[in-house]
Amino acid sequence: MLPTVYQGHEREYYCGCAYSGKQVDLASCGYKTRINLTRAERIEWEHIVPAWMLGHQRQCWQDKSEDGGGRKSCSKNDQAYRKAEGDLVNLVPSVGEVNGDRQSFPYSQWTSGKVSMYGQCQTAVDFKNRAVQPRPEIRGEISRIQMYMATTYALKLSKQDRQLFCAWSRQYPVSTWEQERNRRITALQGSGNRYVTDAAARDAFCR
């Protein structure tokens, strides 16, 4: 379903690179490989709210039986987890290298200046402090996905994260593409992100 959502808008999420199928056009966004060219050249589907956050507190994740616990166990045995893991609202196309570097790190913001970790790409990963600073163009969308996932799946956001996402949502309003993406997702899975379409819901979340 995901390629259908992005049909006609084949732009990778973290850096804005063009892609076709599973192949990333690194030159289209001035991307410079950090360490893994093979992974940098391929598209991977990234969870904005990581699978670890969706599942690590669930019983299936802790299960040490034959399935071994963790993501594999939850995907196999927990219907509620499978629904959250496969929710189209939470999935975006990513340069594989950035997806791998991001791991399960939370989003943050530590500089207003340019970054050059991946060439011209304006997303950065702080491995020491285990945080990711996304490029400005996607911060608003990230914030509203976080609101949606927290509400829909009863996930807890720290006070600091809630403040950050509400600030991003105000600073970076809903874009035309974000609205179109939400319409396509709603058509495919029967529901979308009300924080994209309902300003009152955003206000209530951030009150």
Side-chain angles (χ1 to χ4, degrees):
M1 291 184 178
L2 287 162
T4 302
V5 172
Y6 284 86
Q7 187 173 3
H9 191 88
E10 287 87 355
R11 286 283 167 179
E12 180 279 336
Y13 201 68
Y14 286 121
C15 303
C17 307
Y19 69 90
S20 178
K22 296 182 179 180
Q23 185 71 29
V24 182
D25 180 359
L26 299 179
S28 68
C29 60
Y31 188 95
K32 299 296 183 184
T33 305
R34 187 181 71 84
I35 197 169
N36 191 332
L37 176 61
T38 300
R39 199 165 179 184
E41 289 181 329
R42 76 180 186 217
I43 281 292
E44 298 177 357
W45 293 98
E46 157 83 318
H47 289 85
I48 296 297
V49 176
W52 178 86
M53 187 172 292
L54 298 175
H56 78 282
Q57 293 182 337
R58 304 187 70 83
Q59 182 61 43
C60 57
W61 204 275
Q62 313 302 327
D63 186 7
K64 300 304 180 185
S65 65
E66 62 182 70
D67 291 325
R71 184 174 180 176
K72 181 179 179 181
S73 176
C74 285
S75 296
K76 180 178 179 181
N77 301 308
D78 190 320
Q79 184 176 357
Y81 172 83
R82 285 199 299 272
K83 182 179 179 182
E85 184 186 36
D87 195 316
L88 300 180
V89 171
N90 192 42
L91 287 158
V92 298
S94 171
V95 166
E97 183 177 47
V98 182
N99 182 27
D101 285 351
R102 190 252 168 134
Q103 302 178 55
S104 295
F105 297 165
Y107 295 108
S108 184
Q109 184 176 349
W110 58 82
T111 179
S112 58
K114 294 284 186 180
V115 297
S116 57
M117 185 172 183
Y118 305 103
Q120 295 176 24
C121 174
Q122 289 304 295
T123 290
V125 178
D126 183 337
F127 293 103
K128 181 179 179 181
N129 293 307
R130 301 177 62 83
V132 178
Q133 178 174 274
R135 63 191 180 109
E137 292 86 351
I138 59 172
R139 291 174 188 171
E141 186 175 335
I142 285 172
S143 71
R144 289 177 282 275
I145 291 172
Q146 292 276 357
M147 292 176 188
Y148 165 84
M149 294 297 290
T151 303
T152 305
Y153 300 105
L155 305 177
K156 293 182 179 179
L157 288 178
S158 68
K159 181 179 179 181
Q160 181 179 5
D161 282 344
R162 184 177 287 262
Q163 289 175 340
L164 176 66
F165 297 140
C166 287
W168 280 356
S169 185
R170 288 189 292 267
Q171 187 175 359
Y172 304 101
V174 177
S175 68
T176 301
W177 163 244
E178 189 177 353
Q179 293 171 339
E180 176 60 23
R181 175 183 183 268
N182 193 57
R183 282 192 290 270
R184 295 181 185 188
I185 287 173
T186 302
L188 286 168
Q189 72 175 19
S191 61
N193 185 354
R194 68 190 181 106
Y195 294 104
V196 172
T197 58
D198 189 346
R202 297 194 295 271
D203 292 341
F205 186 94
C206 294
R207 190 168 296 141

